[in-house]
Amino acid sequence: MTLTGGELLAQCLANEGVRFVFGLPSPEVDPFLAALEPNGIRFVPVRHESAAVYMAEGLYKTTGQVAATVTNPGPGSANLLPGVINARHEGVPLIAITAQHRLEIVYPSPPSTFQGQDQLDVFRPAVKWGAPIFSWARIPDVVRMAFREMWAGRPGPVQLEIPAPVMYAVGEAASAPVLAPECYRSAGPQASAAQIETVARLLAGAEHPLIVIGSGVDRANAGAAVLEIAEQLGCGVVTSMAGRSAAPQDHANHLYGYGAGADEARGEADVILALGTRLGNLDTPYDKYWGDNTKQKLIQIDVDPRSLGVTRPLAIGIVSDLGSALNGLSLALAGAPKRRNAAADLTRYRRSECAWREAQFADANAYNGPGLHPAQVMQAVGRTFGREAIYAADGGFTSLWAHFMLPPTRARSYLNILELGMLGIGIPSAIGAKLGSPDRDVVCVTGDGAAGFYCMELQSAAREGAKITVVVFAEGSWSMEAPNELMLYGRTFGTEMGEVRWDKVAEGLGCAGFFADSMSGLEKTLVAARDVAGPALVCVRTNRAANMSVPPAILHRFGEVYQGPSG
């Protein structure tokens, strides 16, 4: 049996479990596109190439499924780059297939080549690995290399560049076997028994142990194992902002990272177990939020050695898959005696956290106009869609209000922009999440600045039958940029965007549109949007001053991300 290069590539991707390809068609990849459906792969066209990556990101973060993107030579591949850069920062595995012209006019591209670009050089800083495929026979081999590199250490995007003649070439299937993944790559690094025993001994002997977890725990499906160990130790679990859904916020051991209870726990901890987190500067790495690091022992376990010991000195650093490491650690701690002060510590920390939340959000909860307060809108969204939904949060202040006010969720069910901070990914990532989990409600909450980047993908949602609900917090301003300008200069520069009726935009793109400017009918409006057959958007007219009234303690810490520690 003979196969085109496109057919062979589709077989290789299907063999690795790829079920979605996001992107745009072009003649250079037509043999590949024609082969997708016969191999069980769905092609999802987009309105902008970067959105293809964000859809793949939403799919991966919620389901663990890897997707591919495909773009045409030159401008199409250039448009893909912002998404690829974000995937690299966010640890999203992705196969970025860049099409290329006939070989006579590329490698290198002379000025005469229309849409010519030396794409391998352009992508090299953005991907973990990239390579061209110059012959039909090498397609399976180079795809295997790509998947090995994609999964080595922290996952990330890889690039495959395939010129049109290779896509159209024909060969005998028997001469290019497609091997099962387990035949050519391993499951990843694992901690040794000695390392696990050492960690267990330190934790079991600690007076005030603490666990700090990030998005790596969520990606490894290790949240339940973390909570089991926390219950064994009777200690708190602090989630990073990016790792919000790694553990439910209403679990008895959970502590908010920015809260007073977490501050107390960090300050008193003698042994800290950090899992799947870089302890980055968004999550208070400064010494004043921690105990004395000459007395505090930090154990850090991560699949990426570059994340170890970045902001805090290590006692033990282990490069390992989290799932296997935590299973081993749980077994090693099974017979450990219970700490006498465990219950009292947790009660004290939780009491401090509750008092802190009540004080910080008292004004937001009591707000009674004018207009809508984003905190109250978030709470209404949470009541409407509940903890079983998947949430995608996008925007500046909108992301902060979402972090604190949306309900606890299931694992892998809260998408945010809090690693690289790329605005605009909310709508396309929600579409990817919905395609991967069609039976679950998927809600994107976004500021109007962020919504403007990829709102055209609402038409993709309508076309593809991706029933998402988008809630746009609309006030016509880049509000997060305003406070610093007002403080220093008494006026703003470029923050005014003008008001947009996003519900009308959504209607023009084939979605249902709703508008709300008061609390009286907000929840009925949200329910109506939830219950329509197709995708829907609710334009919520929020009060700008209320949006900017993030509690000072939270705003102060967020400001330190940019300005360094104060006080």
Side-chain angles (χ1 to χ4, degrees):
M1 181 178 68
T2 61
L3 299 172
T4 66
E7 288 174 309
L8 184 55
L9 177 62
Q11 284 190 7
C12 291
L13 295 182
N15 178 61
E16 281 280 0
V18 173
R19 295 293 175 263
F20 290 91
V21 172
F22 302 97
L24 286 173
S26 68
E28 292 83 1
V29 297
D30 280 347
F32 173 62
L33 299 181
L36 292 180
E37 187 175 352
N39 283 283
I41 300 174
R42 179 174 173 180
F43 179 50
V44 180
V46 296
R47 298 305 300 259
H48 190 283
E49 290 87 349
S50 283
V53 183
Y54 304 139
M55 290 181 192
E57 179 178 329
L59 177 72
Y60 168 69
K61 285 185 175 181
T62 52
T63 68
Q65 295 181 45
V66 175
T69 60
V70 63
T71 50
N72 73 332
S77 297
N79 279 343
L80 190 73
L81 269 172
V84 172
I85 291 168
N86 190 68
R88 183 71 182 273
H89 280 266
E90 298 277 336
V92 175
L94 171 80
I95 301 291
I97 300 168
T98 54
Q100 190 51 284
H101 302 294
R102 56 191 169 90
L103 295 173
E104 293 86 354
I105 57 173
V106 291
Y107 307 117
S109 296
S112 57
T113 300
F114 177 63
Q115 296 187 329
Q117 181 172 244
D118 292 328
Q119 295 169 159
L120 293 167
D121 290 339
V122 171
F123 273 74
R124 189 166 289 116
V127 296
K128 291 185 68 179
W129 179 89
I133 304 179
F134 289 140
S135 72
W136 179 95
R138 288 216 65 194
I139 290 174
D141 179 36
V142 180
V143 170
R144 288 193 287 269
M145 294 173 68
F147 273 88
R148 284 193 205 102
E149 296 288 346
M150 184 180 72
W151 287 117
R154 192 172 191 240
V158 294
Q159 178 198 14
L160 290 177
E161 174 119 318
I162 308 176
V166 179
M167 283 286 194
Y168 281 85
V170 176
E172 288 289 336
S175 66
V178 178
L179 304 178
E182 59 268 20
C183 294
Y184 60 86
R185 55 186 174 85
S186 68
Q190 297 191 4
S192 69
Q195 288 174 316
I196 293 297
E197 287 297 329
T198 301
V199 171
R201 190 164 54 250
L202 274 175
L203 289 169
E207 292 185 14
H208 300 286
L210 178 67
I211 300 176
V212 180
I213 64 176
S215 60
V217 169
D218 216 15
R219 314 278 170 81
N221 299 311
V226 168
L227 294 176
E228 182 179 332
I229 290 171
E231 290 165 358
Q232 287 173 297
L233 295 171
C235 72
V237 175
V238 177
T239 51
S240 71
M241 295 192 80
R244 186 185 191 270
S245 61
Q249 287 89 339
D250 54 356
H251 189 278
N253 295 71
H254 180 270
L255 299 171
Y256 275 97
Y258 274 24
D263 283 351
E264 289 181 29
R266 280 191 298 262
E268 295 176 4
D270 52 347
V271 178
I272 296 175
L273 177 62
L275 302 167
T277 172
R278 295 165 290 182
L279 298 176
N281 67 356
L282 192 62
D283 294 294
T284 59
Y286 307 118
D287 288 346
K288 67 179 182 176
Y289 296 116
W290 299 80
D292 184 348
N293 63 26
T294 64
K295 299 177 182 178
Q296 222 171 42
K297 291 183 172 62
L298 175 63
I299 305 161
Q300 195 172 1
I301 305 177
D302 201 282
V303 74
D304 185 358
R306 296 172 301 175
S307 293
L308 301 179
V310 175
T311 59
R312 309 290 300 168
L314 291 172
I316 300 173
I318 299 174
V319 179
S320 176
D321 163 73
L322 288 178
S324 61
L326 292 174
N327 288 338
L329 185 56
S330 181
L331 290 173
L333 288 169
K338 299 292 184 182
R339 289 190 304 120
R340 288 178 300 173
N341 58 335
D345 282 350
L346 268 176
T347 298
R348 179 163 49 87
Y349 299 150
R350 295 282 288 186
R351 187 180 297 121
S352 294
E353 178 174 297
C354 289
W356 176 86
R357 282 186 65 88
E358 287 180 10
Q360 293 298 315
F361 297 108
D363 289 345
N365 290 328
Y367 187 82
N368 193 30
L372 292 169
H373 196 298
Q376 295 181 4
V377 176
M378 289 294 180
Q379 291 169 330
V381 170
R383 288 191 296 269
T384 302
F385 292 92
R387 62 190 299 149
E388 293 300 306
I390 295 171
Y391 293 95
D394 196 359
F397 284 137
T398 306
S399 287
L400 293 181
W401 291 118
H403 181 79
F404 286 103
M405 294 300 177
L406 287 177
T409 67
R410 287 163 52 179
R412 303 190 82 139
S413 297
Y414 189 85
L415 311 175
N416 57 41
I417 61 167
L418 296 176
E419 292 190 55
L420 178 61
M422 181 74 82
L423 287 178
I425 71 171
I427 291 172
S429 66
I431 294 171
K434 184 64 178 181
L435 292 173
S437 302
D439 296 329
R440 297 182 65 188
D441 284 329
V442 178
V443 188
C444 170
V445 291
T446 176
D448 49 359
F453 283 95
Y454 296 102
C455 64
M456 285 300 295
E457 299 306 331
L458 290 168
Q459 196 268 336
S460 300
R463 182 187 64 246
E464 298 296 321
K467 196 278 179 278
I468 63 171
T469 303
V470 178
V471 183
V472 179
F473 290 65
E475 59 194 55
S477 170
W478 295 103
S479 299
M480 184 169 266
E481 312 310 319
N484 192 63
E485 295 177 359
L486 290 170
M487 178 179 68
L488 294 177
Y489 303 102
R491 60 194 180 99
T492 60
F493 312 99
T495 61
E496 293 297 320
M497 293 187 298
E499 295 185 356
V500 174
R501 281 292 299 266
W502 296 95
D503 52 316
K504 301 299 184 184
V505 174
E507 289 171 355
L509 295 172
C511 303
F514 299 87
F515 180 79
D517 58 2
S518 68
M519 286 299 296
S520 59
L522 176 62
E523 289 198 39
K524 287 184 179 179
T525 301
L526 290 169
V527 169
R530 182 195 66 192
D531 291 345
V532 297
L537 182 144
V538 182
C539 178
V540 178
R541 184 69 73 215
T542 46
N543 179 275
R544 185 180 302 183
N547 190 29
M548 294 169 62
S549 68
V550 174
I554 296 171
L555 198 59
H556 174 75
R557 293 199 188 190
F558 200 77
E560 288 182 317
V561 172
Y562 301 96
Q563 300 164 2
S566 62

